Amino acid sequence: MHRRELLPLLYGAATLPLLHSMDVVAATLGAEIRIGLTPVFLDDQLDFLKKLRGYLTNRLEVPVSFAQRGSYREIVELIRTEKIDLAWLCGYPYVRFKREMKLLAVPLYHGNPLYQSYLIVPASDTKTATLLDLGGKMFAYSDPDSNSGYLYPQYQLLRAGENPASFFSRTFFTWGHRKVIEAVGVGLAQGGAVDGYVWDMLASVHPELTAATRIVSRSPEMGYPPFVARAKIPDDVFRKLRNVLLSMRLDAEGARLLKILNLDGFIEGNDQLFDGIAVMARAVAKSRQ
């Protein structure tokens, strides 16, 4: 799927808890739990989402539905207006709007709540060594609200004294990390920024896609895209939702779903995980004033 892209489910799914009774949950949240998702990168995403929905519904004893949208911005708007209950978001929109949502849990990837942005070029390009070597060329971003697929390269250009708006000959958004990889792989762009988790996942299941690209550099590790809840979700429900996520790796069905996503589980997390992203977001915002 940027976490992304599901990227992660990519970018956003969630899980829920066993409440005392169906009546209690229904009275608090309504007829169902609504989860916001951006485009998924799994080939069998429909089957996966069906299994995930069943898993969550069984533990919550209330129906679960997914609201799929094509961009982070749409999902952010849904959770800010409380039209959905949960979402799997990128760290960039989270640090911008965290006063309007609650941090529920952060996935563990390779044992840590961290991931990286990859700068990629076509595999045939053996000369590009840094982002600055791509000046005047075509560049692919994933989403204007993506940390790894947009914010990080923008920040790197600013730090180098370059103007991100004019550095490349042209830029475009693919609206998915997998699509960035595909665009760079077939030469539609001479470079691109992508969620490292998605690139790694595709390298294991679709090596022909990633083999058409080359990783030029990897960013420092940053806070992994988190699960968030709507701002006014009741505290008791929030705690139960979190408990289901934290315990997901401890039951066989939950562990199988995590394995499909190549995740190790979840932790509560904290805002400090996203401090680096917040610094970049402020710098990029200031440069546009």
Side-chain angles (χ1 to χ4, degrees):
M1 297 176 248
H2 196 184
R3 348 230 204 341
R4 342 170 127 51
E5 274 180 334
L6 197 98
L7 245 173
L9 236 196
L10 268 80
Y11 302 175
T15 6
L16 314 155
L18 182 57
L19 299 184
H20 293 135
S21 75
M22 186 171 181
D23 290 341
V24 171
V25 183
T28 306
L29 290 172
E32 62 182 5
I33 294 292
R34 304 150 297 177
I35 303 173
L37 303 178
T38 49
V40 208
F41 65 87
L42 300 175
D43 290 336
D44 59 349
Q45 60 179 293
L46 293 179
D47 182 60
F48 177 85
L49 293 177
K50 180 180 179 181
K51 291 177 180 177
L52 180 61
R53 184 167 57 246
Y55 178 84
L56 302 181
T57 296
N58 287 340
R59 278 148 185 77
L60 185 56
E61 297 185 336
V62 165
V64 169
S65 66
F66 295 119
Q68 292 187 280
R69 298 294 186 271
S71 69
Y72 288 127
R73 192 158 300 175
E74 293 171 286
I75 294 298
V76 167
E77 184 61 20
L78 288 177
I79 202 154
R80 289 177 68 195
T81 56
E82 305 218 333
K83 293 179 180 177
I84 57 175
D85 303 299
L86 307 172
W88 195 351
L89 278 186
C90 181
Y92 183 22
Y94 172 66
V95 300
R96 291 173 63 199
F97 301 109
K98 64 182 180 181
R99 292 183 180 179
E100 300 174 66
M101 53 189 73
K102 294 182 178 181
L103 180 63
L104 183 66
V106 183
L108 294 173
Y109 179 51
H110 292 166
N112 293 300
L114 305 167
Y115 82 122
Q116 295 170 291
S117 171
Y118 290 178
L119 172 65
I120 60 173
V121 296
S124 58
D125 175 359
T126 60
K127 296 183 178 180
T128 297
T130 72
L131 178 63
L132 297 182
D133 293 333
L134 294 172
K137 297 184 179 181
M138 183 88 75
F139 196 83
Y141 293 115
S142 66
D143 184 302
D145 294 304
S146 169
N147 170 50
S148 60
Y150 181 70
L151 178 65
Y152 179 73
Q154 291 266 305
Y155 178 71
Q156 290 301 103
L157 290 174
L158 287 175
R159 288 190 64 191
E162 300 289 348
N163 181 353
S166 60
F167 180 75
F168 302 109
S169 64
R170 184 185 170 193
T171 62
F172 61 93
F173 294 105
T174 67
W175 306 103
H177 291 283
R178 175 172 178 158
K179 291 180 180 179
V180 171
I181 296 169
E182 292 171 342
V184 172
V186 299
L188 290 178
Q190 284 72 60
V194 68
D195 183 323
Y197 161 80
V198 176
W199 195 98
D200 291 346
M201 280 287 287
L202 289 175
S204 66
V205 297
H206 283 296
E208 73 281 1
L209 293 180
T210 53
T213 70
R214 177 174 69 87
I215 300 173
V216 172
S217 62
R218 295 171 170 84
S219 75
E221 293 182 322
M222 301 174 283
Y224 199 98
F227 282 94
V228 300
R230 59 185 175 89
K232 295 180 181 179
I233 197 166
D235 289 344
D236 59 337
V237 175
F238 179 87
R239 287 191 297 270
K240 291 169 182 176
L241 295 176
R242 173 178 276 174
N243 287 340
V244 164
L245 286 175
L246 299 186
S247 62
M248 190 173 177
R249 59 182 168 177
L250 302 179
D251 70 81
E253 186 179 356
R256 282 194 294 270
L257 293 171
L258 288 169
K259 185 175 181 180
I260 293 173
L261 295 175
N262 197 25
L263 295 175
D264 301 314
F266 302 91
I267 62 171
E268 290 186 13
N270 55 61
D271 283 346
Q272 285 67 49
L273 282 171
F274 308 98
D275 282 350
I277 297 175
V279 168
M280 293 190 293
R282 287 193 295 268
V284 169
K286 184 177 180 180
S287 73
R288 296 171 180 169
Q289 293 176 352

